[in-house]
Amino acid sequence: MRIAILLAAVTCAWAQSGLDRSVLGQMIDRQSVLRPVYGVGGSFHTDAPVAQRVLSSACAGTICLAKTESALISGPMIVPAPPGDAKIALDSSGATIYFPSVQQFGRWQNGALTPLTLSPALSNDGTVLALGSGPSGLVIAVERAGTVWIVSSDGTTAGTILDSLPPGTGTVLLTANGVVYATANALILRKSDGSELSFAASGIEDLFQLGDGYVEARAAGVIYALRTTPGRERLFQLPQTEPRR
């Protein structure tokens, strides 16, 4: 109950603040706390916590969805979900989610989570790294024997390879503007036309959809915001809240 009240209060405050501040999205800080982010052009600041102990999140348009150990959170809604991390792909009507701990897909829509059946080959043949929603529908990044493949999830062509990422690829995020992936020393944006932009950033461990046109990239001691908007691509650092002593 206490968490629900906190979420409702912060959601209301965020909506009111949005009248005079540019809302970027939501980030997971170093203490695994989910916070609203405001600002433009690298001048960013954060607001009061939305949720605690967050493992993954995605924010775009009017939808922000976060995963804790045992629940999905969107605004004041808290819905039980399979344990552990989640891979989230937002779209115009909700989200498609993959739960690695149980190797199952789900559909989030209108505040409800329901099971989603896709081809078993999409999760059983490799490790699912990311989901993405594009013009052709849901696509999935899967690691198989050290290579990351981007495959279709369409019923008639499920598993069809659409693209691949180079050896040494770490974490991956599929966005509306292409693919963001990390190597040991760089964060790379592969655009929809196949061209790439590389940004110096070492040790990226996690990638989350921060907001429309922005990706959160987390490394030890630093959190980045990568702007993916075509023609305006740039890497910024996000502010970090110091842990309480």
Side-chain angles (χ1 to χ4, degrees), residues 115-131:
L116 180 64
T117 301
L118 297 178
S119 170
L122 295 174
S123 57
N124 294 340
D125 185 15
T127 301
V128 174
L129 301 181
L131 309 183

Side-chain angles (χ1 to χ4, degrees), residues 17-225:
S17 299
L19 294 175
D20 53 15
R21 291 191 288 176
S22 177
V23 182
L24 184 65
Q26 293 182 344
M27 67 174 283
I28 304 174
D29 71 12
R30 287 187 297 169
Q31 289 74 52
S32 299
V33 174
L34 191 69
R35 296 178 180 274
V37 180
Y38 300 88
V40 293
S43 179
F44 304 130
H45 60 278
T46 62
D47 213 333
V50 174
Q52 310 280 345
R53 302 183 185 89
V54 175
L55 302 177
S56 56
S57 69
C59 194
T62 60
I63 301 175
C64 287
L65 192 60
K67 178 67 172 66
T68 63
E69 175 60 31
S70 59
L72 284 167
I73 298 173
S74 182
M77 293 178 289
I78 304 175
V79 175
D85 191 16
K87 311 300 180 183
I88 305 171
L90 299 178
D91 54 55
S92 59
S93 62
T96 302
I97 306 167
Y98 179 72
F99 301 100
S101 66
V102 293
Q103 296 188 347
Q104 292 179 354
F105 292 89
R107 180 68 188 169
W108 171 272
Q109 199 160 1
N110 299 323
L113 176 65
T114 56
L116 180 64
T117 301
L118 297 178
S119 170
L122 295 174
S123 57
N124 294 340
D125 185 15
T127 301
V128 174
L129 301 181
L131 309 183
S133 180
S136 59
L138 182 71
V139 294
I140 303 175
V142 181
E143 181 184 5
R144 297 170 179 161
T147 299
V148 177
W149 305 95
I150 311 245
V151 300
S152 168
S153 71
D154 183 84
T156 59
T157 60
T160 299
I161 294 173
L162 306 174
D163 199 358
S164 66
L165 300 178
T169 293
T171 186
V172 178
L173 187 70
L174 306 177
T175 78
N177 297 320
V179 181
V180 177
Y181 66 96
T183 62
N185 299 304
L187 185 62
I188 300 169
L189 170 61
R190 178 177 291 183
K191 301 181 183 182
S192 55
D193 63 4
S195 63
E196 292 188 341
L197 293 174
S198 181
F199 303 87
S202 300
I204 299 296
E205 299 175 347
D206 298 295
L207 296 171
F208 303 115
Q209 188 172 352
L210 175 64
D212 289 329
Y214 282 90
V215 170
E216 176 182 356
R218 296 165 53 84
V222 61
I223 303 178
Y224 298 100

Side-chain angles (χ1 to χ4, degrees), residues 66 232 234:
R232 302 183 63 195
R234 188 174 173 185

